[in-house]
Amino acid sequence: MNKISIIVPCYNEEESLSQFYLETKKAVASISEATHEFLFIDDGSRDHTLDILKLICCKDPNCRYFSFSRNFGKEAAMYAGLKHANGDFCVIMDADLQHPPKLLADMYHAVSKEGYDCCAGKRIGREGDGAVRSFLSRSFYSVIQKLTHMNMSDGAGDFRMMNRTMTDAILQMQEYNRYTKGIFSFVGFETKWLEFENVERAAGNTKWNLKSLFAYAFDGILSFSTAPLKLPGILGVLLFLVACCLGISSLAGSLVSHQAADNLTLILTVVIFLSSLQMMMVFILGEYLSKDYLENKKRPIYIIRESYQGKLP
Ligand code: UDP
Ligand code: MG
């Protein structure tokens, strides 16, 4: 019988945790073809989250918890959960019931019967999120798609059920600065999308503010794109063209008027020309840096989905 591991990052979720557990337990228990386990990751909560987890785990032998020594962030919590999960299928869920447990049965069907490696929830609508946050989030995803050429769309979050092959591929990505949405896209695999309406969290508050969202967005771009390192190159070429135009126009002007070009234009041309050279040198350094940066991440060079190698004689 297959086993589903439900991974739940929790940070100060005392208000919603019990309700989450009850509703999700009901939903997963209704999948008769699979057993399940819950892995709660207490990400250094300062409220009674850990006490509630202890109570849940005391009563339900299918529950385990891991409590971090401090708040390491949701990315670290998801990684820890995936690392300790031993199910054939792993699903990541938020503890605030914003990921509807009723989708679990359809997700399981997609990954166990329909041949998909992953079935991911895609949130439609943004009720409950502020207008500014919605706008910034949409803008961010359109920028990151263009910079990385990877499929990271607004609404496609961490709520997804994956088979063991995909889970292991994600665990092969050992990078410290984890941006899981990018990692899902990087490892590939066949994904089915299930749309669900956005709902407000069951209780408590979001852990994100504008500052942390900006930092997260910046992290995402830096983790999966070296495009910003190309900016000095673009600027260098532009400055070079400006210097050429200035130089040519002042030369032409002095030929027509039979007078030497004025000193200010000459100085400006030389300064802009030298700046363009500097920018191009910075660009070359950036190119070396980006190669080294990607080497350091030690990402897998390829990921095999399935293979046939014949029988040994
Ligand atoms: N979370 C976490 N560590 C953090 C922040 C959040 O484990 O540092 C968990 C949180 O408890 C929740 C999930 O990540 O289960 C999503 O967090 P939140 O609801 O605050 O994010 P939002 O839904 O607003 O994007
Ligand atoms: Mg939430």
Side-chain angles (χ1 to χ4, degrees), residues 25-85:
K25 178 86 188 173
K26 206 166 129 200
V28 75
S30 73
I31 306 174
S32 53
E33 313 95 86
T35 58
H36 64 269
E37 64 168 356
F38 280 85
L39 286 98
F40 295 98
I41 316 299
D42 167 33
D43 183 14
S45 299
R46 299 200 164 272
D47 62 0
H48 292 104
T49 295
L50 184 56
D51 300 328
I52 298 171
L53 289 181
K54 284 180 180 167
L55 275 176
I56 294 174
C57 293
C58 238
K59 289 190 187 141
D60 184 345
N62 295 320
C63 291
R64 291 189 273 157
Y65 76 81
F66 299 84
S67 184
F68 286 174
S69 56
R70 64 167 171 85
N71 178 242
F72 281 88
K74 187 184 174 189
E75 293 289 335
M78 288 191 289
Y79 179 72
L82 289 172
K83 207 168 153 57
H84 288 93

Side-chain angles (χ1 to χ4, degrees), residues 94 96 98 201 206:
D94 286 359
D96 56 8
Q98 284 193 297
R201 52 164 41 244
T206 176

Side-chain angles (χ1 to χ4, degrees), residues 8-13 41-43 45 71-75 77-78 93-96 98-99 123 129 133 158 201 205-208 213:
V8 194
C10 312
Y11 179 48
N12 295 342
E13 296 288 2
I41 316 299
D42 167 33
D43 183 14
S45 299
N71 178 242
F72 281 88
K74 187 184 174 189
E75 293 289 335
M78 288 191 289
M93 295 181 81
D94 286 359
D96 56 8
Q98 284 193 297
H99 295 159
R123 187 196 50 216
D129 289 350
R133 183 172 164 175
D158 308 311
R201 52 164 41 244
N205 295 313
T206 176
K207 309 301 173 305
W208 300 91
L213 278 174

Side-chain angles (χ1 to χ4, degrees), residues 138-249:
R138 267 197 302 274
S139 316
F140 164 68
Y141 282 106
S142 76
V143 170
I144 199 165
Q145 294 246 40
K146 287 193 182 99
L147 288 182
T148 60
H149 307 292
M150 290 204 290
N151 181 20
M152 286 183 250
S153 56
D154 188 20
D158 308 311
F159 179 33
R160 53 188 72 208
M161 192 180 287
M162 299 163 286
N163 64 14
R164 183 43 53 194
T165 318
M166 181 162 171
T167 307
D168 288 344
I170 288 168
L171 289 172
Q172 266 190 66
M173 307 272 286
Q174 293 281 326
E175 53 211 76
Y176 178 79
N177 291 302
R178 297 185 76 77
Y179 183 72
T180 303
K181 287 190 184 79
I183 293 177
F184 288 141
S185 178
F186 182 91
V187 297
F189 293 97
E190 287 296 314
T191 299
K192 179 175 180 176
W193 295 95
L194 288 184
E195 292 191 341
F196 66 93
E197 286 286 343
N198 191 38
V199 286
E200 284 192 39
R201 52 164 41 244
N205 295 313
T206 176
K207 309 301 173 305
W208 300 91
N209 53 33
L210 269 189
K211 191 175 155 222
S212 59
L213 278 174
F214 267 113
Y216 184 64
F218 201 58
D219 256 12
I221 292 174
L222 291 193
S223 298
F224 280 90
S225 170
T226 51
L229 284 172
K230 301 202 186 303
L231 285 178
I234 299 169
L235 203 61
V237 171
L238 287 178
L239 287 176
F240 181 74
L241 292 176
V242 171
C244 287
C245 291
L246 263 180
I248 291 168
S249 72

Side-chain angles (χ1 to χ4, degrees), residues 83-113:
K83 207 168 153 57
H84 288 93
N86 54 30
D88 306 282
F89 299 97
C90 293
V91 57
I92 302 170
M93 295 181 81
D94 286 359
D96 56 8
L97 283 170
Q98 284 193 297
H99 295 159
K102 65 173 192 286
L103 285 191
L104 289 176
D106 290 344
M107 285 183 161
Y108 179 69
H109 192 267
V111 290
S112 63
K113 304 259 161 50

